[in-house]
Amino acid sequence: MPSPNLQSFAFTSVSSASTLSSFNSFKRPTNAAPSALRSPSPAPLPIELQPFQVRPVAYRILSKKHGLNLKSSGLDLLATYIGRKYGRDWRTKSEPFLDQIGRRWKEQDRGLFIDAQLLQVVIREVELRSSSFTGSVTETPIDIVEDPLESFCPQEFFHVWDAFAQPRWTYNGMRKHFEKASRPSLLPSAQQQVHTLSARYYLLLHRLLRNEEFQPPSFHASNVASWHAITLIKNLLGRHGKSCLILGLLVRGSNGNWWAEDPSGRLELELDNAVAGEGYFVPGCMLLVDGVYTRTEKLQVKAVHHPPAEFRSTSREAYGYLDFMGIGGIGSTPDGRFDLAIERRMVAEEERKVDTKIVALGGDLYLDDLRTLDALGKTFDVLERKPPLAVILFGSFMSFPFYNSGASSRYKDNFDQLAQLLLKYPGLCASTTFIFVPGNNDPWGSTASAGGPVLWPQRCIPEIFTSQVRRALKKAIWASNPSRLCYFSQEIVICRDDLASRLRRNNIRFKSSLSATSDKMDTSPDEDTQADDLGPHADAQPLFPDEKQSEENFETEKMVRTVLDQGHLSPWPSSLRPVISEYEHALSLTPLPHAIIICDPTASGYAHSYTGCHAMNPSRFQPFDKRRVTWFEYSTATRTSTTNSIPY
């Protein structure tokens, strides 16, 4: 991991007066612990300590042992707190407390400098979450915190985040960390659109710099030529005839040629003799380009690659275990970080519930087609026997684009017929959560796009058309496209997009390409040696086990690698896929989710795992060439998927 930017940890100083006033917020618990948990010794008599008295002890514990720097405001807060809590024996009793503060601070990756504002939060966490410290620090009674996982219902830890309601985190490329942003405005500014591209670039750049292949070797390294250095475009001036590796945005220039852009400049590419790596290469992607800088100020490209993806565990550690989606809920710390102890208990609870399934049906559920309703009835007959946790239905729910003239009543009648069908399965309607994801033909986006790619993120289906279905189902969620599903510690991305057809149409054709075995610059983590979230289930799983490796499976791997390596659901220019820049954080795949369900009827069904992320495509609900329906069942315990298929 690259060395942190010290300027990012420069917090605003807090005066001693404001520090003492903020200390008053540490109130004694109203519900004292039982007498058996209290120390038999009397409470110490508070004393008033000066900061210079506490400085030697704090320096020995926090600075020399933990490598942290204590600011004057933090020292004032520690002197006041320690004097009131430990009294005359503060020299011996405060050392275990300071050691716990240092450990907690480093676990949450709060930076190098300790100031009063964040120190107050850490002290409060230590008081609430620790029943005892090493030594004699338990003289003050502490609340008994009820275990949130002791008595639980799975539905309490199941939540679907709409793209327009997700917590908004923006990446600060200069400070190398995420910041909580305010609610987006109705009309994004030009500066915001530029910031989204800049944030994408720095996210991928810093992810690459954490990769071992892009880290400079130590002084005594034997092979100093085994690492790759990324060069900014502006630094190529005067380096004619030298090889270089750049990371840039692939765009089509005004002269019709391909260019690479980064925050420092742009450079024209000569792709005549370029060799392509794994994946699709389309405009709008951030690519690694290896070549020679010529005297005509162009880059003669030798090889083009996607920036390798990163395991979720590595990304979370780099960003301080931020709880981006609020998955932890009660398991989150006050500053929005995930409590790892509660997360481990959540994972254990997931593994214990081996029968919990999430069903993903295929896309293009045309409710105006009687065959679709017949196929849904056959599917619900099977699911009624053992209701899953959730059923995801992907649009489009109409066979032609929705228009305001005459289509409103017919569109509502289609969902009324679905409601009548659902009433035949009371067990399924009572215990299962139904999630509806819109498609290109659904309102209101299709009124402007006429069935083409709608503006992303796409809002949910209006409530005016779904009243009967809401009455029939106990739990119905009308999600946006895309959305995120959170279950205990797991994060699952669900979206409906014609990804395969768009990739094939806009893919750049190279004269030659590298296979996965001969790709020398494939720096993705080794799935056999690095422990990821999926454990032993990290291999590709074809839709039909008896099917041999084919060109179709190779295309599947290319599609999955392209999306996950880019870390974005829509790596396209606005001309191919218009995106609301204020909500582009909902399309980010950093860190990688545990699973991603991309319903793409233009590709065959697949299940493939890459760098710890399990990617699935239930494809089309009713294939054109056979009277069968297939769906995926995702197991939250094993984090793998299986397929079911029945005739209708």
Side-chain angles (χ1 to χ4, degrees), residues 156-352:
E156 296 177 0
F157 295 87
F158 179 88
H159 187 74
V160 176
W161 277 102
D162 189 277
F164 300 92
Q166 292 180 17
R168 189 165 179 250
W169 295 85
T170 60
Y171 188 71
N172 190 322
M174 304 305 296
R175 296 186 175 183
K176 302 180 181 179
H177 67 79
F178 282 90
E179 298 174 346
K180 200 67 175 290
S182 59
R183 292 182 60 86
S185 59
L186 181 62
L187 296 176
S189 61
Q191 183 180 4
Q192 174 63 30
Q193 298 179 14
V194 173
H195 174 73
T196 55
L197 285 177
S198 176
R200 272 187 62 196
Y201 174 84
Y202 284 112
L203 266 175
L204 295 179
L205 175 63
H206 297 157
R207 189 182 77 186
L208 280 173
L209 296 179
R210 291 192 295 267
N211 194 297
E212 294 181 357
E213 295 292 333
F214 291 86
Q215 295 179 0
S218 61
F219 181 75
H220 298 286
S222 57
N223 187 12
V224 296
S226 61
W227 68 289
H228 307 285
I230 297 177
T231 306
L232 292 176
I233 291 179
K234 70 176 183 179
N235 294 337
L236 294 178
L237 187 63
R239 301 180 60 179
H240 306 300
K242 294 185 178 180
S243 298
C244 60
L245 179 65
I246 64 173
L247 174 67
L249 177 70
L250 183 65
V251 297
R252 172 98 54 183
S254 58
N255 58 357
N257 297 334
W258 294 107
W259 293 67
E261 295 182 354
D262 68 7
S264 68
R266 63 201 309 259
L267 180 65
E268 186 174 348
L269 306 178
E270 295 181 352
L271 302 176
D272 296 337
N273 300 317
V275 178
E278 292 286 337
Y280 286 96
F281 298 90
V282 296
C285 287
M286 298 283 183
L287 301 177
L288 280 171
V289 184
D290 184 19
V292 178
Y293 188 64
T294 64
R295 293 189 177 275
T296 58
E297 297 185 352
K298 298 180 181 180
L299 188 67
Q300 189 174 1
V301 180
K302 295 186 295 184
V304 181
H305 298 267
H306 286 283
E310 184 178 62
F311 278 90
R312 177 181 176 87
S313 56
T314 306
S315 299
R316 294 184 64 214
E317 181 181 0
Y319 300 131
Y321 298 99
L322 284 176
D323 192 3
F324 292 96
M325 301 304 304
I327 298 178
I330 53 177
S332 298
T333 59
D335 61 338
R337 300 176 188 270
F338 214 112
D339 191 306
L340 299 182
I342 293 184
E343 182 184 21
R344 286 191 290 268
R345 298 201 56 188
M346 287 183 173
V347 174
E349 198 65 41
E350 294 169 9
E351 296 175 349
R352 191 172 68 87

Side-chain angles (χ1 to χ4, degrees), residues 448-468:
S449 64
V454 299
L455 188 66
W456 254 25
Q458 181 182 2
R459 294 190 178 273
C460 63
I461 298 174
E463 186 176 354
I464 189 175
F465 302 111
T466 60
S467 57
Q468 294 295 331

Side-chain angles (χ1 to χ4, degrees), residues 367-517:
L367 299 180
D368 54 348
D369 188 350
L370 295 179
R371 294 179 302 174
T372 300
L373 296 176
D374 184 23
L376 280 174
K378 299 292 184 180
T379 305
F380 293 157
D381 287 337
V382 177
L383 299 180
E384 174 78 7
R385 304 168 191 167
K386 195 173 184 181
L389 175 67
V391 174
I392 307 174
L393 297 89
F394 294 95
S396 300
F397 296 102
M398 201 172 189
S399 58
F400 57 90
F402 177 90
Y403 295 102
N404 291 332
S405 57
S408 298
S409 58
R410 183 174 179 181
Y411 192 81
K412 186 178 185 305
D413 292 342
N414 295 336
F415 278 101
D416 292 346
Q417 294 180 17
L418 176 63
Q420 295 297 325
L421 177 63
L422 289 170
L423 290 175
K424 300 178 182 179
Y425 307 94
L428 193 64
C429 296
S431 58
T432 300
T433 301
F434 282 77
I435 305 171
F436 296 84
V437 181
N440 292 335
N441 292 346
D442 296 312
W444 299 106
S446 62
T447 57
S449 64
V454 299
L455 188 66
W456 254 25
Q458 181 182 2
R459 294 190 178 273
C460 63
I461 298 174
E463 186 176 354
I464 189 175
F465 302 111
T466 60
S467 57
Q468 294 295 331
V469 178
R470 294 175 187 269
R471 295 191 187 100
L473 295 175
K474 182 179 180 180
K475 304 165 188 174
I477 298 177
W478 303 88
S480 63
N481 183 23
S483 298
R484 295 182 189 249
L485 187 154
C486 301
Y487 178 72
F488 280 98
S489 66
Q490 296 189 41
E491 177 184 344
I492 303 172
V493 175
I494 52 179
C495 73
R496 163 67 175 87
D497 188 25
D498 296 337
L499 178 67
S501 60
R502 192 178 298 109
L503 284 172
R504 297 190 193 103
R505 286 196 307 267
N506 299 280
N507 185 39
I508 301 176
R509 295 186 177 273
F510 295 89
K511 290 185 176 181
S512 58
S513 61
L514 297 176
S515 62
T517 57

